[in-house]
Amino acid sequence: MDTGAADALLICEHCDTVYRRRILVRGEVARCARCAAELERHQSLSVNAMLALVLTAMIVFVQANMWPIVTLGLNGQFSATTLWGMIITMWQQQAQVVSVLAAFTLFFFPMTKMLVLGWLLWFARRGRRAPGFVRLMVGLHHLGPWTMSEVFVLGALVAIVKAHNYFDVVADPGIYAYAALTVLITIFAGVDLRQLWVLTRDGQA
Amino acid sequence: MNTLPRAADLGLIGCHVCGQVCKDATNAGLPDGDTLACPRCGSALHRRKPDSYSRTWALLIAAFILYIPANLLPIMRTASLNDIDDNTIISGVVELWVKGSPDLAVIVFTASIVVPMLKFFSLGMLLLSSRAGSDWARPQRAKLYRLVEFIGYWSMLDVFVVALLTALVRFSLLSRVEPLPGVIFFGLTVVLTMFASMSFDPRMIWDGRNSND
Ligand SMILES: [Zn+2]
Ligand SMILES: [Zn+2]
């Protein structure tokens, strides 16, 4: 089929309306005239900027997972936990379902997403498609809403407030790393990864 | 007036996964568009998500059934030397409110009660009205679906609160927190409602009567 003509068109995912693609200026968002869903937005981040963001997120993510999140104190006794401490405790406390949910949505999925993105963007810097590009892009799409670090940050806040009524609460570095991670995730939320299909080509550069 | 052509009118299909605009080859002799694969990413092409009605209904009903024990059963036990207290989702909200954090109480109430209920009512209504081919309030229904899809995963909030408190409050006999079955039902409810909203195809809102308005 004529791929040139197909790239000139755009279909609204929410109502199937077909549009002719047009160049967007900085800050512009194209919306569907039928259902008002977002069609496309101007992508202000370069591939290099995206890569820098992902690498930063990886470093912050490692810290968020290694460092304790909160410490509680009661009559001179102290108790702290990390993300994995929480996942293991839930498993031991007969809540394996919750343990697995937390392990995937807070650790495995976010980690996979960052590693895959880092790999794809590293090659995309020179307009190339990384080995496994197609499968990884499809995989990223299916990862969709299953990364929940930002929900966990809000959850930690609620837990701190609840615990505050009964214990001495000390926020540990892990919670700050998580807060930083949430900021990075929010910045990245405006990035449409589908642009990588257009920005990259197969073969050696 | 047909000023906004839809993909089916032009013999096109948009790939769900990569967004590529593809030719609908049904006319070219293939029995059904479903057998096609996207030339760019290889994913199966569908004019509409397969079995969207029945899948969404099944997931929604399953989620609703699990939501009942999620609310009735306690989600967490706080135990101290002389006191054992079982908390449900609602009693957790009330506690936050009474102990002087009404803002957080509102957030938890929204995430745990309002959002799931909104999902049940909205998706149920969207399924019924789309099946009927209704042209009632289409733009608003489309917006409602996007809202439900966007905020759905925040319902996991209370599950993480219970998990974190369980891991933190471990002072042997003095004070302990344990998860109770309600939290498992609630976690599963959230997962099922997320799958339900994903399997609903918002394009069905615009199918049926007068879709070119
Ligand atoms: Zn639309
Ligand atoms: Zn595709």
Side-chain angles (χ1 to χ4, degrees):
Chain A
M1 69 180 279
D2 186 351
T3 42
D7 282 344
L9 296 178
L10 186 65
I11 297 181
C12 174
E13 283 183 71
H14 287 263
C15 71
D16 241 6
T17 306
V18 184
Y19 293 92
R20 209 167 291 283
R21 197 174 243 129
R22 59 187 184 82
I23 307 292
L24 301 174
V25 299
R26 195 176 175 81
E28 196 182 358
V29 177
R31 289 195 176 277
C32 176
R34 177 175 267 127
C35 76
E38 183 178 317
L39 293 169
E40 249 187 339
R41 62 168 61 215
H42 175 78
Q43 298 294 320
S44 44
L45 287 177
S46 67
V47 171
N48 275 316
M50 284 191 269
L51 184 61
L53 214 53
V54 170
L55 291 175
T56 313
M58 276 183 196
I59 294 167
V60 175
F61 183 75
V62 169
Q63 293 170 332
N65 280 281
M66 278 171 44
W67 292 338
I69 300 165
V70 193
T71 302
L72 296 191
L74 181 67
N75 301 338
Q77 275 184 288
F78 292 97
S79 165
T81 190
T82 58
L83 176 73
W84 273 97
M86 178 185 103
I87 292 167
I88 291 164
T89 310
M90 285 311 268
W91 184 275
Q92 290 165 343
Q93 296 283 325
Q94 316 307 322
Q96 288 89 350
V97 173
V98 174
S99 174
V100 169
L101 271 177
F104 278 92
T105 61
L106 300 177
F107 185 80
F108 291 114
F109 289 156
M111 189 184 68
T112 308
K113 196 169 189 169
M114 283 185 277
L115 289 175
V116 169
L117 272 173
W119 174 254
L120 294 178
L121 289 168
W122 182 263
F123 285 86
R125 284 190 315 153
R126 281 162 291 162
R128 283 179 54 200
R129 292 192 169 181
F133 179 85
V134 171
R135 286 173 69 183
L136 292 172
M137 284 294 284
V138 173
L140 272 186
H141 169 83
H142 291 299
L143 224 45
W146 298 104
T147 58
M148 302 191 183
S149 304
E150 58 272 39
V151 182
F152 179 68
V153 175
L154 187 58
L157 186 67
V158 174
I160 287 173
V161 170
K162 284 195 165 192
H164 186 73
N165 294 319
Y166 307 96
F167 309 96
D168 305 321
V169 182
V170 183
D172 288 323
I175 192 74
Y176 297 113
Y178 259 107
L181 189 63
T182 305
V183 174
L184 293 169
I185 289 170
T186 311
I187 298 172
F188 213 84
V191 173
D192 182 6
L193 292 169
R194 283 180 176 176
Q195 61 181 306
L196 289 180
W197 288 105
V198 185
L199 292 176
T200 60
R201 287 284 168 263
D202 264 327
Q204 309 296 321
Chain B
M1 268 288 289
N2 188 0
T3 46
L4 296 168
R6 301 187 71 202
D9 303 335
L10 303 179
L12 298 171
I13 302 186
C15 174
H16 292 276
V17 175
C18 74
Q20 172 85 24
V21 177
C22 310
K23 240 174 214 147
D24 188 345
T26 316
N27 306 327
L30 277 165
D32 190 9
D34 289 5
T35 51
L36 278 173
C38 170
R40 185 159 77 175
C41 75
S43 306
L45 291 174
H46 308 285
R47 262 178 245 112
R48 295 291 176 268
K49 291 179 191 169
D51 306 321
S52 183
Y53 282 110
S54 40
R55 262 190 221 190
T56 312
W57 269 126
L59 289 163
L60 199 61
I61 291 167
F64 187 73
I65 291 170
L66 291 179
Y67 191 56
I68 297 167
N71 274 287
L72 295 181
L73 296 178
I75 56 170
M76 159 177 113
R77 165 170 294 168
T78 52
S80 58
L81 271 181
N82 42 22
D83 186 33
I84 284 183
D85 192 11
D86 287 355
N87 299 272
T88 59
I89 290 173
I90 276 291
S91 76
V93 172
V94 172
E95 191 202 323
L96 272 174
W97 184 281
V98 174
K99 293 271 164 69
S101 313
D103 36 3
L104 280 183
V106 169
I107 290 173
V108 174
F109 182 76
T110 305
S112 306
I113 308 281
V114 177
V115 171
M117 293 307 274
L118 182 71
K119 275 188 134 177
F120 293 131
F121 283 116
S122 307
L123 284 175
M125 183 270 282
L126 288 169
L127 283 165
L128 291 174
S129 57
S130 309
R131 170 117 282 185
S134 164
D135 59 357
W136 166 73
R138 278 192 167 123
Q140 289 76 13
R141 278 155 62 205
K143 204 164 276 176
L144 181 66
Y145 172 73
R146 292 200 295 273
L147 175 76
V148 160
E149 202 192 21
F150 180 71
I151 58 176
Y153 74 119
W154 284 93
S155 293
M156 209 60 104
L157 183 68
D158 237 7
V159 175
F160 294 147
V161 172
V162 171
L164 200 50
L165 285 176
T166 304
L168 280 172
V169 184
R170 316 206 56 70
F171 298 97
S172 56
L173 288 174
L174 275 179
S175 187
R176 273 174 296 115
V177 167
E178 289 163 15
L180 291 174
V183 75
I184 294 168
F185 285 109
F186 189 66
L188 290 174
T189 303
V190 178
V191 170
L192 286 176
T193 57
M194 284 175 71
F195 276 122
S197 71
M198 280 175 181
S199 60
F200 179 77
D201 194 327
R203 293 173 292 193
M204 298 192 302
I205 296 171
W206 303 89
D207 294 340
R209 279 180 283 128
N210 305 324
S211 59
N212 292 322
D213 285 354

